[in-house]
Amino acid sequence: MVTFVVWLVISLLLAGAVFLVASVMERREGDEDVRGLRAFVRDFRAGLRLRQDAAPRPTDTDMDDFFAANVETAPGYVDAEELTEVLYRAQVRVRHPHQESHRTDA
């Protein structure tokens, strides 16, 4: 258990160091006087605020309108005829394992 905690602390410290180096290495136009840990903390807090403000608002709609808006005109992912043909070939292979299967797609 102690080994796990030690590796967890080391990984968190390394992740923090990566964030710190990335924020120091980043150059901003017009904002070159503020760098280092203070800029990192400011940018981190601004990112958290942005995520809280960007939450989508719920939209009330009934199920009929929802499904009517999402109607697909293309064939489905699984074509019934194709699936039937594959199952038929598998059935022939199971019934006659030593004979070659009859090819219908020639």
Side-chain angles (χ1 to χ4, degrees):
M1 181 70 181
V2 174
T3 307
F4 174 74
V5 172
V6 169
W7 283 110
L8 181 66
V9 169
I10 289 172
S11 64
L12 289 175
L13 289 174
L14 285 175
V18 167
F19 280 126
L20 184 61
V21 169
S23 69
V24 169
M25 301 276 299
E26 179 185 2
R27 288 191 162 227
R28 295 174 179 238
E29 295 178 15
D31 194 23
E32 294 187 21
D33 59 334
V34 179
R35 289 188 181 169
L37 187 59
R38 187 176 301 155
F40 169 73
V41 171
R42 183 194 63 205
D43 292 341
F44 187 75
R45 292 173 77 193
L48 290 177
R49 277 194 304 267
L50 178 68
R51 293 197 188 275
Q52 291 172 354
D53 296 339
R57 295 180 182 242
T59 304
D60 289 334
T61 182
D62 59 351
M63 294 301 282
D64 293 331
D65 292 338
F66 176 76
F67 287 121
N70 296 319
V71 172
E72 290 286 332
T73 57
Y77 180 72
V78 177
D79 188 18
E81 292 176 5
E82 181 182 344
L83 186 61
T84 304
E85 183 179 329
V86 170
L87 289 174
Y88 174 74
R89 283 186 279 159
Q91 185 180 22
V92 168
R93 286 184 198 153
V94 168
R95 285 186 184 162
H96 308 288
H98 298 293
Q99 298 177 356
E100 286 192 30
S101 62
H102 303 287
R103 295 189 62 125
T104 59
D105 57 326

